């Protein structure tokens, strides 16, 4: 009798578990429920077509001015936190901001669309950048400068080594590293997963509530957004709140996989890029001491290093005081010095 | 709370007089003694974070198929010990005994909460699991496997998240928002009224491809019986 009763309970539990999967209601992977729609889901968003991808993008400033293409961090971030860069448009520069493929509000692609390229996965990112430049460039003589923050700085440096003649300058903000081992070391140093700490336990505990299948972008992007907000080591979100539209979890996962498998060297070819590079690092990023900044910037043949006081990793651009008093003035001086 | 799944879970929870943590309150089936019906349990270790937990169990029946009902509460460490928690309610029953070999199954309703600066989550879930092993009065070792399903989850976002995405939809979400398999070993020693147990193994998401951030569990438990 006891066995019969308990089998009934177990059967009820099993039926409940199975029927729960067919309930019609608000769904975690529903478009627009937990994360914003992307440009292929919302025609009202500003977008361009580049390299067979629909990218969330905008440009401001005179169309013929020196073009400053802003590259966000991540991989998988977006350009919302870099909107202060639009101030450069008022100084006569053509400022282009775009969310990289699979990131922010740009179109999503399956993980295999990146990993299937093997070590060439980064070429997709470079080809996107070439296509964005081509989309906005009004003449072959229009100067182009890349302004990359964090992963964007890595991407800008890799592009400079790959296409040294296509751009006239690089501005990089705290690129974690250019060689894969340096990138891994930086990521490790900049994330504190203390065994008993809130960060690790918040991140790990969440796995009981939400799990996403591969390429289930709505779920994975949302989950990623809950994990990235504030970092006491790098100073992200400690002075100014972090802002973003939507994370790109799949591209982040894919590019880290590719980087780790093929040990991508983003400094390859930089010896051919003889133009000056402007490099920022922040005072409050404990994972980015002066020694690390010097080690990373050794890869550039010509570089000027600027330390931004009083802020952390994001604050180089997101903090109004740092941006208006240190970062933007240095960028303007650099841009005006380009031949 | 108006969600039909929630009502089902509430009904299910009422049907089960108590509950057992998935692996925390490990039972030595070879040491069930006449007159001992109560267990209290404390456990700590790694299970979706570094967790601490307390539990109580009560043996409902002494028959050939002993039934043990349990209730437990656990929480992860961190700066705020009250923002995240897991409470479970359920029973386990030994279905088969051949000499010192025992096979038991468990079913538990789960209610858990999670909070950070962006969202507050409340979740109704369920886990089903089984153990099979060799049990002696003073020690035991067994294999275990189970599935933990997050059936329905309530999302309540903070102003911080709504500043980022004002159109986010709060409320109960279904169907299931997640699920993880577990597989591993459990063992322990028993003496007097005490059990010291250790269980550990791996975790795998329901797509059989991805793993949780902490892809393993390792829990040390202590039972006092009377």
């Amino acid at each position: 009798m006891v066995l019969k009763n308990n089998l009934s309970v177990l059967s009820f539990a099993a039926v409940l578990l199975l029927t729960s999967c067919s309930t019609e209601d608000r769904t975690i992977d529903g478009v627009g429920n937990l994360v914003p729609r992307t440009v292929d889901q919302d025609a009202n968003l500003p977008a361009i077509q580049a390299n067979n991808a629909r990218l969330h993008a905008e440009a401001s400033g005179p169309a013929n001015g020196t073009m400053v293409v802003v590259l966000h961090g991540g991989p998988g971030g977006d350009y919302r936190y870099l909107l202060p860069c639009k101030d450069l448009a008022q100084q006569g520069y053509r400022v282009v901001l775009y969310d990289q493929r699979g990131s922010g509000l740009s179109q999503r692609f399956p993980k295999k669309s990146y990993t299937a390229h093997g070590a060439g996965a980064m070429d997709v990112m470079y080809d996107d950048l070439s296509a964005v430049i081509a989309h906005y460039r009004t003449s072959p003589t229009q100067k182009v400068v890349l302004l990359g923050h964090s992963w964007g700085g890595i991407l800008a440096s890799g592009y400079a080594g790959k296409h040294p003649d296509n751009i006239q300058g690089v501005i990089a903000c705290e690129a974690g590293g250019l060689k894969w081992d340096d990138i891994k070391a930086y990521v490790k140093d900049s994330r504190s997963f203390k065994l008993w700490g809130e960060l690790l336990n918040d991140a790990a505990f969440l796995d009981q509530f939400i799990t996403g299948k591969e390429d289930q972008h709505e779920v994975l992007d949302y989950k990623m957004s809950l994990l990235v907000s504030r970092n006491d080591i790098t100073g992200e979100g400690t002075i100014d709140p972090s802002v973003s539209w939507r994370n790109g979890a799949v591209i982040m996962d894919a590019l880290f996989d590719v980087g780790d498998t093929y040990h991508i060297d983003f400094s390859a070819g930089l010896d051919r890029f003889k133009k000056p590079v402007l490099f920022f690092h922040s005072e409050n990023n404990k994972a980015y001491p002066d020694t690390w900044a010097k080690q990373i910037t050794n890869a550039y043949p010509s570089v000027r290093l600027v330390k931004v006081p009083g802020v952390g990793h994001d604050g180089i651009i997101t903090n109004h005081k740092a941006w208006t008093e240190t970062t933007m003035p240095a960028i303007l001086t650099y841009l005006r010095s380009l031949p | 709370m108006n969600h039909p799944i929630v009502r089902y879970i509430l009904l299910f929870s009422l049907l089960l007089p108590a509950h057992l943590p998935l692996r925390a309150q490990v039972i030595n089936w070879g040491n069930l003694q006449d007159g001992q019906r109560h267990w209290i349990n404390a456990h700590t270790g790694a299970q979706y974070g570094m967790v601490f937990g307390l539990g109580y169990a009560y043996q409902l029946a002494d028959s050939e198929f002993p039934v043990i009902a349990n209730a437990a509460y656990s929480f992860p460490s961190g700066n705020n010990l009250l923002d995240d928690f897991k409470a479970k309610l359920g029973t386990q029953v030994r279905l088969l005994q051949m000499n010192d070999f025992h096979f038991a199954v468990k079913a538990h309703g789960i209610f858990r909460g999670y909070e950070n600066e962006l969202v507050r989550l409340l979740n109704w879930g369920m886990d089903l699991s089984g153990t099979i092993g060799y049990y002696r009065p003073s020690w035991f070792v067994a294999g275990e496997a189970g599935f933990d399903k997050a059936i329905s989850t309530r999302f309540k976002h903070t102003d911080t998240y709504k500043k980022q995405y004002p159109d986010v939809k709060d409320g109960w979400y279904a169907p299931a928002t997640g699920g993880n398999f577990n597989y591993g070993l459990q063992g322990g020693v028993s003496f007097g009224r005490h059990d010291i147990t250790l269980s550990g193994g791996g975790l795998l998401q329901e797509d059989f491809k991805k793993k949780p951030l902490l892809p393993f569990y390792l829990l040390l438990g202590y039972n006092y019986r009377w």
Side-chain angles (χ1 to χ4, degrees):
Chain A
M1 184 64 183
V2 172
L3 174 63
K4 189 178 175 184
N5 286 344
N6 280 279
L7 283 176
S8 299
V9 170
L10 288 174
S11 302
F12 176 77
V15 168
L16 177 59
L17 207 57
L18 292 171
T19 54
S20 69
C21 298
S22 62
T23 304
E24 293 287 338
D25 207 323
R26 191 176 289 121
T27 58
I28 193 171
D29 58 348
V31 172
N33 283 348
L34 293 174
V35 289
R37 295 167 192 269
T38 51
V39 287
D40 51 314
Q41 297 165 335
D42 183 352
N44 295 318
L45 293 168
I48 63 170
Q49 193 70 23
N51 194 30
N52 298 317
R54 192 96 183 130
L55 302 181
H56 178 226
E58 62 179 287
S60 52
N64 295 326
T66 294
M67 191 192 301
V68 178
V69 183
V70 181
L71 303 170
H72 62 72
D78 63 48
Y79 72 75
R80 188 175 185 179
Y81 75 105
L82 299 175
L83 287 173
C85 296
K86 289 170 80 171
D87 292 349
L88 296 171
Q90 294 163 11
Q91 304 294 323
Y93 296 96
R94 179 68 161 167
V95 180
V96 173
L97 298 113
Y98 77 100
D99 289 339
Q100 295 152 30
R101 74 166 55 211
S103 307
L105 303 182
S106 288
Q107 186 179 355
R108 295 296 188 266
F109 294 90
K111 183 176 180 180
K112 284 192 174 59
S113 75
Y114 307 103
T115 56
H117 291 279
M122 300 304 168
D123 289 338
V124 177
M125 309 307 288
Y126 299 145
D127 292 345
D128 284 358
L129 179 50
S130 290
V132 171
I133 292 170
H135 180 88
Y136 287 105
R137 206 171 208 166
T138 55
S139 74
T141 57
Q142 186 177 17
K143 284 189 279 191
V144 176
V145 175
L146 305 182
L147 195 174
H149 177 265
S150 193
W151 150 251
I154 298 172
L155 183 61
S157 302
Y159 188 88
K162 193 97 175 172
H163 303 287
D165 299 327
N166 205 32
I167 55 174
Q168 281 64 52
V170 167
I171 302 165
C173 306
E174 251 175 25
L178 298 179
K179 296 180 185 300
W180 187 252
D181 286 345
D182 287 341
I183 293 172
K184 273 180 77 172
Y186 174 73
V187 170
K188 181 168 175 282
D189 290 348
S190 63
R191 298 285 178 266
S192 168
F193 279 127
K194 289 178 186 166
L195 204 57
W196 305 104
E198 187 79 15
L199 187 63
L200 171 65
N201 288 294
D202 260 3
F205 209 67
L206 185 62
D207 281 325
Q208 298 173 90
F209 297 76
I210 303 170
T211 55
K213 300 181 178 70
E214 187 174 288
D215 299 332
Q216 208 172 13
H217 297 284
E218 263 71 17
V219 181
L220 298 174
D221 291 354
Y222 176 73
K223 196 171 172 185
M224 184 175 164
S225 75
L226 297 185
L227 302 179
V228 286
S229 55
R230 172 188 176 95
N231 186 327
D232 291 332
I233 295 178
T234 63
E236 290 166 85
T238 54
I239 299 176
D240 307 301
S242 298
V243 290
S244 65
W245 281 299
R246 174 171 168 172
N247 293 111
V250 170
I251 189 172
M252 184 201 73
D253 191 31
L255 294 189
F256 267 98
D257 275 2
V258 168
D260 213 27
T261 303
Y262 299 100
H263 284 249
I264 305 293
D265 180 4
F266 293 91
S267 68
L270 271 179
D271 54 330
R272 296 186 295 139
F273 188 74
K274 305 295 186 189
K275 294 149 193 166
V277 171
L278 178 61
F279 195 98
F280 292 97
H281 70 116
S282 65
E283 183 184 47
N284 291 359
N285 185 347
K286 296 169 193 159
Y288 221 101
D290 294 351
T291 49
W292 188 255
K294 287 197 174 89
Q295 179 181 327
I296 300 308
T297 53
N298 273 340
Y300 304 113
S302 172
V303 63
R304 183 187 166 218
L305 196 55
V306 176
K307 187 173 184 175
V308 183
V311 295
H313 189 60
D314 287 358
I316 296 170
I317 292 176
T318 62
N319 182 261
H320 182 70
K321 185 171 187 292
W323 170 249
T324 55
E325 294 182 8
T326 305
T327 311
M328 187 166 70
I331 289 174
L332 290 172
T333 301
Y334 170 78
L335 291 173
R336 287 166 187 151
S337 72
L338 293 176
Chain B
M1 295 293 279
N2 292 324
H3 192 280
I5 288 299
V6 176
R7 290 199 293 271
Y8 281 131
I9 294 284
L10 281 171
L11 177 63
F12 175 72
S13 299
L14 291 173
L15 289 173
L16 298 174
H19 104 133
L20 180 79
L22 182 60
R23 286 165 293 277
Q25 191 147 355
V26 175
I27 300 294
N28 182 354
W29 293 105
N31 196 2
L32 296 183
Q33 296 178 18
D34 290 342
Q36 285 189 2
R37 290 193 174 276
H38 306 272
W39 284 259
I40 54 171
N41 163 266
H43 60 273
T44 185
Q47 188 184 30
Y48 302 106
M50 301 306 298
V51 297
F52 307 93
L54 293 171
Y56 169 75
Y58 179 77
Q59 185 172 345
L60 295 171
D62 290 326
S63 68
E64 186 180 352
F65 305 105
V67 178
I68 298 174
N70 312 76
Y73 179 88
S74 64
F75 59 90
S77 67
N79 301 332
N80 187 346
L81 297 180
L82 300 176
D83 55 348
D84 308 324
F85 67 91
K86 176 162 63 175
K88 303 176 75 173
L89 186 68
T91 59
Q92 61 178 314
V93 56
R94 186 184 66 198
L95 291 178
L96 189 65
Q97 178 183 2
M98 293 177 64
N99 298 322
D100 291 324
F101 289 93
H102 299 247
F103 171 61
V105 293
K106 314 173 192 174
H108 309 101
I110 303 172
F111 182 60
R112 47 195 154 200
Y114 173 90
E115 185 172 7
N116 68 9
E117 60 195 76
L118 300 174
V119 71
R120 172 76 171 153
L121 304 178
L122 293 175
N123 166 259
W124 293 99
M126 182 176 293
D127 69 57
L128 299 172
S129 61
T131 58
I132 184 165
Y134 184 74
Y135 292 81
R136 299 284 296 166
S138 59
W139 65 276
F140 67 96
V141 61
E144 60 181 355
F147 181 53
D148 176 345
K149 188 83 172 174
I151 294 174
S152 185
T153 302
R154 178 179 181 269
F155 292 73
K156 174 69 176 170
H157 293 88
T158 64
D159 290 342
T160 303
Y161 191 82
K162 287 179 177 172
K163 276 180 191 167
Q164 294 198 172
Y165 182 39
D167 295 331
V168 65
K169 294 179 178 64
D170 284 344
W172 286 97
Y173 276 65
T177 57
N180 293 296
F181 292 98
N182 69 279
Y183 51 92
L185 295 172
Q186 59 175 238
V189 293
S190 302
F191 50 96
R193 297 176 178 271
H194 314 278
D195 302 321
I196 294 175
T197 64
L198 187 66
S199 58
L203 298 168
L204 190 63
Q205 291 187 6
E206 59 187 341
D207 65 353
F208 292 105
K209 292 179 181 175
K210 297 171 75 71
K211 291 181 177 179
L213 182 66
L214 274 185
F216 62 88
Y217 63 93
L218 184 65
L219 291 167
L220 178 66
Y222 167 74
N223 297 335
Y224 179 78
R225 296 176 265 110
W226 74 97

